[in-house]
Amino acid sequence: MQHAILNYLPVNIKNIIKKLDYSSDQLLEIRLRVNKPLEVNTFQDSIFLSYQVKHEDIEEAMIILTDNSLYALERQLREGFITIKGGHRIGFSGQVIVKDGNIKTIKNINSINYRLTRELPGTADRVINYIYNYRYHNIYNTLIISPPICGKTTLLRDIIRQISNGQTNNGIESKKVGVVDERSEIAGAYNGIAQNKIGKRTDLLDNCPKAKGMLLLIRSMSPEVIAVDEIGSKEDVRAIEEAVNTGVKLIATIHGNDLKTIKNRPAINRLIDKKFFSRFIILSRRDGIGTVEAILNQQGERIN
Amino acid sequence: MFIKLAGSLLIIISATVIGWYRARQYLLRVKHLKELHLAFSIFNTEISYRQTILPEALSKCSNSVEEPVASLFKNTAGDLNLKRGKKFEEIWQQYLNKSESFSGCLKKADIKILREWGQQIGKSELSEQKKINQLTLEKLDIARKNAENEAEKKVKLIRYTGLLFGLMIVILLY
C-alpha cells in the first residue's frame, strides 16, 4: 500500500502497513494503542494485526507528528489532534493535565488514531439542488445533522466547493464563501494553506474559534456564505444570530441523530424555533457512510 | 654559520606561531560565544512570535550566524528533517560532540550550557521554552564576559611567551 500517511508512522508500523494489501482509499483509520495489537479500520471491516504496539512506537510517532516542537502545537495538544499535510487528522489520548478546569495539555500519550480524510467530490450532488434557492439565487441557511463518522464534514466540504465554484449548466451561481475552520477539518490546512479542494472563491480562516471567526470574516472578507463545522455552544449561536442579521447565509454541521435530538440542546433549539434554518440535511450510515436520510424544510417536513 | 642562523630563525618563528595560535583560541572562544548568543536570540524570537517548528527555526538561525555555529545549527536541522522520529536531543548531542572546532576553543562549561539547552528544548509549552532560552542566553552572556576578561589578560602574555620561549631556546643552543 502506498499512502502519504506512511511518512507519519513510526518505522516499525510503517513497514507493516506498507505490506498490507489494501488500496489507499479503502483505509479509514490506523490505530496505535500501547501494549495492544495494531488496529486497521477499512470501509469493510476492522482488523487486528499480530504486531503489539510498544511504548517506543507511540513515542516515536509523537516526535514525528510534532516535529520535536511541542511548543508550536500547544493548541492542537489541548484539543487532542494534529492535522498533517494532506488534511489527515491524527487524534490521540493520554494523561490530561488540567488547570483551572480547562484542559491544558495531554501528556504520556497512550493511543494514537490516524484518521485518513477522503475527499469525495460529488458528495454534495444529491443535496445541492435542495439547498440552493433558484428563485433568489442564494443559499438556504442549512444545518447538516449527523452522528460521528457519517461523512458530515466531507459533505460540507463538497457543498462549499460546489457553491464556491458554481455550476453554470445547473444554474447555480458562484458565491464568495468564507470558511471558519476551527479544527482544520474542512480544508485540512497545513501551514494555513488548504490541502483539500474547497473551491476557487473560498476564503479560509484556519484554526480560528468559530464565534470570533464568523464575525471577523464578515468584517474582513465580505462573504456571501459562511460555512462552519460542529456548532453547538452558546457563543456559536450568538455569533450566528449576529452574522445572519448582516445578510450572510450560513451552512453548518452539528452532531446528532435527527432534528428531535438537536432540539434538546437549548442554544440550538432557540435558533430552530426562530426558524433560522431553512434546510436540514440528516445523515446516517445506513447504506454506508454519507447516507442522506432526509432533507427537511423550515417546518421540519421532508422534501426529498 | 648560515645554517645555524636559519635554524635559530626557524625556532623563533615557530615558537611565535605557536604562541599566536594558542592566544587565538581565547579570542575564538569569545567570538563563538557571541555567535551562539546571536543564534539563540534569533531562535527565541522565531519560536516565540512565529511558533516555528524546530527544524525550520534552527535553519533560520544558521543563515544568520557565522561558522562553525552555522554548521552546528544547519546540520542539526538537516538531520531532524531527514531522520524523522529521532529525538532532537540525540541529534544535538551528536553534533556537539562532532564539531571539534568548538571543543578546541570552548570550555567544558560552555559546552554544558549548550547540552543542557538541548535536553530541554522542544519538550514543553511555549512559556517554558522561552524561559529556557532566556536562561541560556544569560548563561552565554556570563560566559562571554568571562572569556573576554580571560582573553584580555592572556592573549598578549601568551603571544610574548611564545616569542620569548623561542628566543630562550636559541640562546641556550648557542
Side-chain angles (χ1 to χ4, degrees):
Chain A
M1 198 201 77
Q2 275 305 317
H3 198 288
I5 199 116
L6 286 175
N7 293 329
Y8 292 88
L9 288 166
V11 78
N12 289 339
I13 290 166
K14 179 181 170 181
N15 290 336
I16 296 168
I17 301 285
K18 230 192 223 165
K19 286 191 203 119
L20 288 182
D21 205 17
Y22 286 116
S23 72
S24 54
D25 52 335
Q26 275 177 302
L27 213 57
L28 216 54
E29 287 181 338
I30 302 166
R31 286 175 164 272
L32 281 60
R33 298 184 183 93
V34 177
N35 299 332
K36 301 270 161 57
L38 180 62
E39 182 184 344
V40 175
N41 288 326
T42 67
F43 271 101
Q44 291 80 32
D45 51 6
S46 46
I47 51 168
F48 289 92
L49 303 167
S50 56
Y51 182 77
Q52 195 90 352
V53 177
K54 290 192 271 303
H55 184 248
E56 290 77 37
D57 292 326
I58 300 264
E59 223 172 34
E60 191 185 330
M62 285 314 284
I63 290 175
I64 298 174
L65 293 170
T66 60
D67 267 309
N68 270 299
S69 319
L70 284 185
Y71 60 84
L73 298 159
E74 269 175 54
R75 198 186 126 91
Q76 286 90 328
L77 287 170
R78 233 183 351 250
E79 303 219 311
F81 69 87
I82 296 168
T83 308
I84 58 165
K85 214 173 175 175
H88 307 290
R89 244 179 136 190
I90 288 133
F92 43 83
S93 63
Q95 196 180 349
V96 174
I97 311 289
V98 179
K99 196 182 177 191
D100 303 328
N102 291 318
I103 295 177
K104 200 169 163 234
T105 187
I106 302 175
K107 67 167 190 177
N108 297 335
I109 309 296
N110 52 33
S111 295
I112 304 183
N113 179 13
Y114 290 75
R115 296 176 61 185
L116 310 189
T117 46
R118 289 145 290 119
E119 271 193 276
L120 299 170
T123 330
D125 290 349
R126 290 161 293 170
V127 298
I128 194 87
N129 289 331
Y130 293 101
I131 62 172
Y132 190 75
N133 186 340
Y134 286 93
R135 198 147 141 228
Y136 296 108
H137 284 289
N138 57 25
I139 306 293
Y140 288 113
N141 288 327
T142 305
L143 185 64
I144 300 168
I145 303 167
S146 155
I149 335 178
C150 287
K152 76 179 142 32
T153 307
T154 313
L155 179 66
L156 177 66
R157 188 185 303 130
D158 205 43
I159 292 177
I160 294 168
R161 188 181 62 86
Q162 297 204 5
I163 294 169
S164 174
N165 288 339
Q167 292 174 348
T168 31
N169 52 353
N170 209 353
I172 293 174
E173 279 178 11
S174 154
K175 301 275 177 202
K176 288 179 285 178
V177 185
V179 176
V180 186
D181 201 356
E182 183 162 4
R183 301 191 283 172
S184 301
E185 262 188 304
I186 305 173
Y190 176 77
N191 281 346
I193 295 165
Q195 302 285 309
N196 296 329
K197 298 185 190 76
I198 53 169
K200 61 180 181 186
R201 289 186 86 191
T202 306
D203 303 307
L204 171 69
L205 203 55
D206 186 41
N207 235 330
C208 178
K210 281 184 289 283
K212 295 223 165 67
M214 280 190 265
L215 299 174
L216 191 154
L217 268 182
I218 292 170
R219 282 195 300 267
S220 60
M221 301 309 284
S222 70
E224 292 162 289
V225 181
I226 282 187
V228 289
D229 209 5
E230 291 177 20
I231 58 166
S233 73
K234 261 188 232 149
E235 292 79 49
D236 293 347
V237 170
R238 208 173 304 138
I240 289 170
E241 282 172 332
E242 212 155 304
V244 85
N245 287 327
T246 65
V248 179
K249 298 295 176 185
L250 179 87
I251 305 171
T253 69
I254 190 166
H255 275 301
N257 288 324
D258 49 39
L259 199 52
K260 225 162 109 194
T261 52
I262 301 300
K263 281 187 169 175
N264 290 335
R265 297 164 73 166
I268 294 298
N269 191 30
R270 205 169 80 216
L271 280 180
I272 298 175
D273 276 350
K274 280 189 183 167
K275 305 270 183 241
F276 172 77
F277 288 107
S278 308
R279 292 290 181 268
F280 298 93
I281 300 171
I282 294 158
L283 298 179
S284 78
R285 281 182 92 163
R286 202 156 45 94
D287 297 325
I289 291 170
T291 309
V292 177
E293 278 290 326
I295 300 173
L296 311 176
N297 67 7
Q298 205 166 31
Q299 282 73 39
E301 294 154 354
R302 194 167 170 163
I303 54 167
N304 70 329
Chain B
M1 183 61 196
F2 177 72
I3 294 172
K4 225 177 177 183
L5 207 66
S8 320
L9 208 65
L10 217 62
I11 290 172
I12 293 172
I13 289 172
S14 41
T16 313
V17 167
I18 291 171
W20 274 82
Y21 180 77
R22 290 292 293 268
R24 193 166 156 267
Q25 306 279 310
Y26 287 92
L27 294 173
L28 276 179
R29 183 181 167 217
V30 176
K31 188 174 165 257
H32 291 341
L33 285 171
K34 269 185 192 163
E35 287 296 320
L36 282 168
H37 192 277
L38 177 64
F40 282 117
S41 48
I42 294 169
F43 178 84
N44 195 30
T45 314
E46 269 302 319
I47 72 162
S48 308
Y49 296 106
R50 309 198 45 216
Q51 299 195 7
T52 319
I53 54 167
L54 211 43
E56 268 176 56
L58 291 173
S59 65
K60 278 212 175 134
C61 298
S62 78
N63 292 335
S64 314
V65 294
E66 283 175 37
E67 296 292 348
V69 180
S71 285
L72 175 68
F73 277 65
K74 205 161 100 195
N75 291 337
T76 312
D79 256 26
L80 279 175
N81 282 328
L82 214 66
K83 300 176 188 159
R84 308 193 59 205
K86 201 163 178 200
K87 280 183 194 157
F88 164 72
E89 190 184 336
E90 285 171 25
I91 297 175
W92 179 251
Q93 304 292 18
Q94 184 193 323
Y95 278 108
L96 268 188
N97 294 340
K98 255 191 205 168
S99 59
E100 281 162 13
S101 40
F102 266 143
S103 39
C105 329
L106 290 189
K107 292 200 165 170
K108 266 194 188 144
D110 304 335
I111 301 279
K112 197 174 156 229
I113 299 173
L114 304 180
R115 221 178 275 283
E116 281 173 356
W117 176 80
Q119 279 163 3
Q120 299 173 79
I121 223 66
K123 288 183 182 168
S124 57
E125 54 180 30
L126 193 55
S127 50
E128 291 299 317
Q129 298 281 297
K130 281 193 214 165
K131 277 184 215 158
I132 295 162
N133 286 333
Q134 282 308 335
L135 192 65
T136 306
L137 286 172
E138 276 166 34
K139 281 185 193 165
L140 284 173
D141 220 28
I142 294 169
R144 181 189 49 98
K145 275 178 196 151
N146 286 342
E148 275 172 352
N149 285 339
E150 210 177 358
E152 209 173 309
K153 271 186 222 154
K154 291 194 177 163
V155 166
K156 270 187 190 162
L157 184 74
I158 291 174
R159 278 178 188 167
Y160 287 130
T161 312
L163 177 69
L164 292 174
F165 199 70
L167 282 173
M168 194 182 78
I169 293 173
V170 170
I171 291 165
L172 283 178
L173 284 175
Y174 266 94

